[in-house]
Structures are given as C-alpha cells and as structure tokens.
Amino acid sequence: QVHLAESGGGLVQTGGSLRLSCVGSGSVVSTTTMAWYRQAPGKQREFVARIRSSGTTSYADSVKGRFTISRDGVKVVLQMNSLKPECTAVYYCSSGSTFWGQGTQVTVSS
C-alpha cells in the first residue's frame, strides 16, 4: 500500500518561506504524478502544484512565481516563498490523485 508522509509545516510571518517535504513509499515519487493540495477550515481542498514523472510541472495561478515543486530522491518538495495569510491551510501530498498523506499545517501570521 502507498504511504505518504508530509513534513515541514509551521508558523511563519507574512513574506516568509517554508519548505514542505513528502516522503513516498516505494518508487511512487519517481513513477507517478505527485501533487500538493491544501485545505483551509470550511473550504474545499484546492490544487496547489503538480509534477509528473516526466518532470513537467503545473501550478495554481495563485502561487505561480512564488512556489516551486520538485523531486528529491524519495521526496517531493514544495518550496513556498513570499507567503501570505491566505496560504494558511493544511497541505496534503498526493500520488496519482488517489493516495494522500496525513497533511502538515502551514500558518502564516498577518
């Protein structure tokens, strides 16, 4: 069974940066489409960034130019810069949009 584990969340001030990591079991990170989604209280889960096995990346318009998704061995990494309070949410890692991690909390203070 695929297991995903996110880490790297925390509390930062507006304009700060965080680096999220997601460790995937087996070879899921290198062989499947990996993505980051986020969900704020009372909101639906929304797409943030995606990287395909080919290396092709895609980003939500709201994070373009500020977030970068990449692979690092068995991890998929989301580098988040110029963070805003609107970025506050639980961030989830996904493999093939079918397997999900437990999430890591990101809080950006005003």
Side-chain angles (χ1 to χ4, degrees):
Q1 184 178 40
V2 173
H3 178 72
L4 303 172
E6 303 96 333
S7 63
L11 174 64
V12 298
Q13 298 182 75
T14 297
S17 299
L18 280 175
R19 187 178 180 87
L20 306 184
S21 294
C22 172
V23 176
S25 61
S27 60
V28 294
V29 171
S30 62
T31 61
T32 68
T33 295
M34 301 295 296
W36 287 95
Y37 285 74
R38 65 188 180 189
Q39 185 169 31
K43 305 286 183 63
Q44 285 197 321
R45 186 171 298 187
E46 66 174 341
F47 167 77
V48 175
R50 173 188 299 114
I51 183 167
R52 299 189 181 280
S53 58
S54 63
T56 301
T57 59
S58 182
Y59 300 90
D61 288 342
S62 60
V63 306
K64 285 181 179 178
R66 300 187 299 113
F67 289 14
T68 302
I69 188 170
S70 62
R71 288 193 295 262
D72 181 13
V74 298
K75 300 179 180 179
V76 58
V77 175
L78 184 68
Q79 178 66 47
M80 306 186 294
N81 299 323
S82 301
L83 286 164
K84 307 173 181 179
E86 304 91 89
C87 297
T88 296
V90 176
Y91 284 68
Y92 296 91
C93 177
S94 171
S95 172
S97 298
T98 58
F99 296 97
W100 301 84
Q102 77 287 345
T104 185
Q105 177 71 49
V106 171
T107 302
V108 184
S109 62
S110 301

